[in-house]
Amino acid sequence: MTLTTKTVSDACKSWLKTCERNALERSTMKAYRSHARIHIDPRIGDLLLSELSRGDVREFMDCLMDDGVSRALVKKVMVSLRSILSEAVEREWITHNVAIDVKLRRKARTVDDEKIVPTKAEIRLIIDNAPKSHRAMFVTAIFTGMRISELRGLTWDCVDFGRRVIKVIKRADESGEMGPPKSRAGVREIPMAPKVVETLLAWRDDASESDVNLVFPNGAGRVQNYSNIYNRIFKPMLVANSITKASGEAKFGIHALRHAAASLFIEQGWNPKKIQTLLGHASITMTMDTYGHLFETPEEDVSLFEKLESDLMAA
């Protein structure tokens, strides 16, 4: 096949084979195949790589939006497309990745865009009313900020009661497969609050036996399914305790427990770098983009400006 006959579809196939050779996680491969099969190949797969332009990529992205694909998914598909074209550049099928120059414009922020952070009253309701089968998991989430994938993959050898820390060195993907955190920043140690130590010590005697030493296994001793945790346990718990939206639906998802932890860390006055490390964020930018608004204290800002004026006038 000559240079001029290589298509976007050819690049998709080559990229997916490269991803398979690199042994990417099953869930990641599933997402990548979906991006290529459902979104990229049907729309622009037959276009010649040598003729693909920024305008073609922009039109492709606009078509996704017009067809009702969510902004979040469009962003992910565009990341895949850029990777596909990078693969083509490496194979010298094209000289430039035109998708790099096409960005999804930032949407104006609205009130609904804000992360839902559980209130202290809601946090206490969850701690006090969580079903016995999952109370230890939710308490650990609230006080450590661990991701649900990290909690599902947590093993007892990573809970150091002597040093009072949890070592995060593995996670469970959506298929229940165990593996390392997705980034180096995800590998970390998180100190345990006394409530976590107390709760996990008591839970150790009640937890189901697990051949792989899981802290929070299902009844068969295997990795819990995320959907089951949310739909059968978490959501009914919120509804039963009136932690709901005006429509009567559960107010937030399990990930909100991570937001709760972050808000508690920030309230204690801990510096952003420490919080970044505890949460396992790859960069301080990610921490500030997600939780920067929680660091804002208008009352203190007024005092700071009063002092600024006082110091200036006294100089």
Side-chain angles (χ1 to χ4, degrees):
M1 192 177 286
T2 63
L3 175 67
T4 55
T5 60
K6 292 289 188 181
T7 64
V8 173
S9 183
D10 294 322
C12 284
K13 293 172 185 174
S14 178
W15 173 67
L16 288 172
K17 287 181 180 178
T18 297
C19 292
E20 289 169 357
R21 291 189 198 100
N22 291 334
L24 298 187
E25 283 191 358
R26 185 185 307 176
S27 58
T28 301
M29 287 302 308
K30 180 180 177 182
Y32 286 172
R33 291 190 187 100
S34 174
H35 297 168
R37 185 184 73 255
I38 298 174
H39 301 292
I40 298 172
D41 213 11
R43 289 179 172 87
I44 58 174
D46 60 343
L47 296 183
L48 293 175
L49 288 168
S50 58
E51 297 179 359
L52 189 69
S53 67
R54 290 195 302 274
D56 292 327
V57 175
R58 166 62 65 183
E59 187 174 346
F60 163 72
M61 187 172 68
D62 289 344
C63 284
L64 289 176
M65 298 288 288
D66 292 343
D67 288 346
V69 179
S70 70
R71 290 181 66 88
L73 182 52
V74 170
K75 289 176 70 174
K76 292 177 181 178
V77 171
M78 289 300 296
V79 169
S80 292
L81 179 59
R82 293 186 192 103
S83 297
I84 288 166
L85 297 182
S86 291
E87 170 90 7
V89 171
E90 288 182 9
R91 294 185 179 280
E92 297 186 336
W93 294 346
I94 49 175
T95 59
H96 177 65
N97 185 342
V98 294
I100 289 176
D101 303 321
V102 181
K103 306 292 185 183
L104 184 64
R105 294 185 178 88
R106 186 184 295 273
K107 186 179 74 168
R109 291 184 65 85
T110 66
V111 174
D112 292 337
D113 292 331
E114 296 296 333
K115 299 281 189 303
I116 298 179
V117 179
T119 66
K120 285 186 175 179
E122 290 166 346
I123 293 171
R124 285 192 290 268
L125 275 173
I126 292 171
I127 292 174
D128 293 341
N129 297 284
K132 185 178 179 181
S133 63
H134 286 75
R135 181 175 180 275
M137 173 184 275
F138 298 158
V139 167
T140 303
I142 288 167
F143 285 99
T144 66
M146 290 173 67
R147 301 174 176 90
I148 188 64
S149 61
E150 295 167 345
L151 290 163
R152 290 167 54 239
L154 182 64
T155 50
W156 283 112
D157 57 296
C158 293
V159 181
D160 190 334
F161 288 108
R163 296 176 53 228
R164 298 166 71 95
V165 298
I166 291 176
K167 293 176 283 187
V168 182
I169 59 174
K170 64 190 79 170
R171 59 185 286 277
D173 68 16
E174 63 179 24
S175 301
E177 295 290 327
M178 301 284 282
K182 283 193 171 182
S183 70
R184 285 183 296 176
V187 177
R188 62 201 189 278
E189 289 190 348
I190 307 175
M192 289 189 284
K195 187 73 171 177
V196 176
V197 174
E198 170 196 332
T199 302
L200 289 181
L201 282 172
W203 172 248
R204 188 166 55 175
D205 297 329
D206 296 330
S208 301
E209 292 188 9
S210 169
D211 291 340
V212 290
N213 207 25
L214 290 169
V215 175
F216 306 115
N218 62 18
R222 293 190 289 270
V223 174
Q224 290 197 60
N225 178 275
Y226 170 81
S227 181
N228 288 343
I229 299 172
Y230 177 69
N231 290 308
R232 300 179 184 178
I233 306 297
F234 193 78
K235 183 165 66 172
M237 173 190 68
L238 295 190
V239 173
N241 287 278
S242 299
I243 306 176
T244 58
K245 302 176 184 177
S247 61
E249 300 174 351
K251 185 176 178 181
F252 43 71
I254 297 176
H255 196 72
L257 299 185
R258 182 165 159 85
H259 300 330
S263 70
L264 294 173
F265 297 162
I266 292 168
E267 187 180 82
Q268 294 303 307
W270 298 348
N271 70 67
K273 194 65 181 176
K274 177 189 286 292
I275 294 171
Q276 174 202 338
T277 301
L278 291 172
L279 294 175
H281 282 162
S283 69
I284 191 66
T285 302
M286 183 182 297
T287 305
M288 295 308 294
D289 282 349
T290 307
Y291 300 112
H293 63 288
L294 297 180
F295 286 92
E296 298 171 3
T297 51
E299 297 80 7
E300 290 184 14
D301 289 345
V302 170
S303 298
L304 288 173
F305 273 80
E306 288 176 350
K307 185 176 185 302
L308 179 151
E309 177 185 324
S310 175
D311 289 350
L312 172 63
M313 302 307 293

